Amino acid sequence: MAWLWLNDPELQTTPVVMVTTSGTDEDVQTSYRNGANSYIAKPVDLKISAKQSKCSGWSATDSLIKAAIMKILLVEDNPDQRDLISLTLEDFDHTWQVQAVHNGADALAQLETGVDYSLIMLDYSLPGEDGENILNQITQHQQAPPVIMVTGSGDEETAVAVMKAGAYEYVVKCNEYLTRLPVVVKRAVEEHQLQTEHQQAIDNLRKSEERYRTLVENAPSGILSIDLDGNIQEVNPKLLDILGSPSVEETKKINLFAFPPLVEAGVSETFT
């Protein structure tokens, strides 16, 4: 099949998705090198696959980040694994761009350049510092992207350690792991975006409350808030001056509905 495709000019303009019962890394690498646009290991839901296939190749059509270019930093010292992972991710969604470095020092230096990476894929076994040490340094960065730790041989103790250190996920390079990898990446980025948006909403609310409090405390008029029973909950400094009250605590002891000046003036009746 590969020979036929390589020797037929017309077929070379047609996107090819390789479907097979084998999901080994060697088969994946061979398929991509021979020009396949994507590689699917059976069994798969072919109806879903058909919907996700485009004339340009495999695409994650329901991705929340589809419209924008998503930059992924891949830290992997094995050149074959670098090529496999890069091809797999970029072919899954053509808006994904993988930049690969081969050690932790280069990865940390790359983060200092200011490039807005959506995700870091970090190999556990690296020359020099291992992946866990690099992970600890990455998570110290303000607004650090999610990190997926990838390793050739994992154990439960290592997995627990890297997850506690801040990794989003821990993936072992076993059979068909490349098929699972894009899904893990997509989920990690989307959940990180949701968490970021949630935190941003909380920060915006906090800033809004601080602005409101500043306006109230510096207002030239007396301002207070009460509950449904007329108990004073909050007062600003100007109201303390108007009432001649020595403190906020003393003022909060006043029930507005029973406040003598308002009772005598009949004003409190409008609140009851």
Side-chain angles (χ1 to χ4, degrees):
M1 181 62 188
W3 180 89
L4 177 64
W5 186 87
L6 289 171
N7 290 276
D8 190 324
E10 293 186 3
L11 284 179
Q12 290 181 18
T13 62
T14 304
V16 176
V17 178
M18 187 68 73
V19 182
T20 176
T21 55
S22 172
T24 64
D25 291 349
E26 290 79 10
D27 288 345
V28 174
Q29 189 173 18
T30 300
S31 298
Y32 281 126
R33 285 177 176 173
N34 286 334
N37 296 90
S38 189
Y39 183 95
I40 303 174
K42 295 185 288 186
V44 296
D45 189 333
L46 296 180
K47 293 182 179 179
I48 295 177
S49 298
K51 290 180 181 179
Q52 291 180 323
S53 296
K54 290 187 174 182
C55 61
S56 59
W58 184 258
S59 177
T61 56
D62 61 338
S63 175
L64 295 176
I65 51 171
K66 177 189 169 191
I69 296 298
M70 188 178 87
K71 297 182 182 297
I72 300 172
L73 180 60
L74 171 62
V75 191
E76 171 63 68
D77 63 313
N78 185 306
D80 290 335
Q81 288 295 322
R82 281 203 305 269
D83 291 344
L84 277 172
I85 294 173
S86 296
L87 286 170
T88 299
L89 296 181
E90 291 183 345
D91 210 49
F92 179 81
D93 191 315
H94 291 176
T95 65
W96 294 6
Q97 292 183 354
V98 179
Q99 181 173 356
V101 295
H102 71 281
N103 59 49
D106 288 348
L108 295 173
Q110 196 60 38
L111 289 178
E112 297 296 337
T113 64
V115 177
D116 185 19
Y117 290 105
S118 297
L119 179 131
I120 298 174
M121 187 162 295
L122 180 64
D123 186 49
Y124 185 82
S125 299
L126 293 169
E129 292 187 88
D130 64 27
E132 188 173 347
N133 288 331
I134 299 301
L135 173 63
N136 288 328
Q137 296 178 65
I138 290 174
T139 54
Q140 292 176 9
H141 283 254
Q142 187 175 13
Q143 297 180 339
V147 178
I148 295 176
M149 186 72 76
V150 184
T151 180
S153 56
D155 57 75
E156 185 175 348
E157 183 178 349
T158 302
V160 171
V162 297
M163 295 296 284
K164 286 184 177 180
Y168 173 83
E169 184 63 277
Y170 183 82
V171 177
V172 179
K173 298 174 186 174
C174 59
N175 291 337
E176 300 186 10
Y177 90 96
L178 289 171
T179 305
R180 173 174 173 257
L181 203 55
V183 179
V184 176
V185 169
K186 180 173 176 286
R187 186 174 65 243
V189 173
E190 292 179 353
E191 289 189 6
H192 181 73
Q193 286 182 333
L194 290 175
Q195 292 172 0
T196 300
E197 292 170 1
H198 177 69
Q199 185 59 50
Q200 186 63 51
I202 292 176
D203 292 342
N204 290 340
L205 178 60
R206 185 181 296 112
K207 291 177 182 178
S208 177
E209 291 175 344
E210 290 174 355
R211 287 194 298 268
Y212 170 77
R213 185 170 296 278
T214 299
L215 289 172
V216 170
E217 290 180 350
N218 294 281
S221 302
I223 299 175
L224 58 80
S225 64
I226 62 173
D227 61 19
L228 295 176
D229 296 321
N231 299 308
I232 296 177
Q233 303 298 305
E234 299 290 341
V235 295
N236 69 339
K238 185 62 178 179
L239 185 63
L240 294 181
D241 293 339
I242 294 173
L243 297 176
S245 179
S247 67
V248 174
E249 289 71 22
E250 289 296 322
T251 306
K252 286 184 176 181
K253 295 177 181 179
I254 299 173
N255 184 288
L256 198 63
F257 298 162
F259 191 50
L262 295 180
V263 173
E264 294 173 3
V267 175
S268 63
E269 294 179 2
T270 61
F271 296 99
T272 59

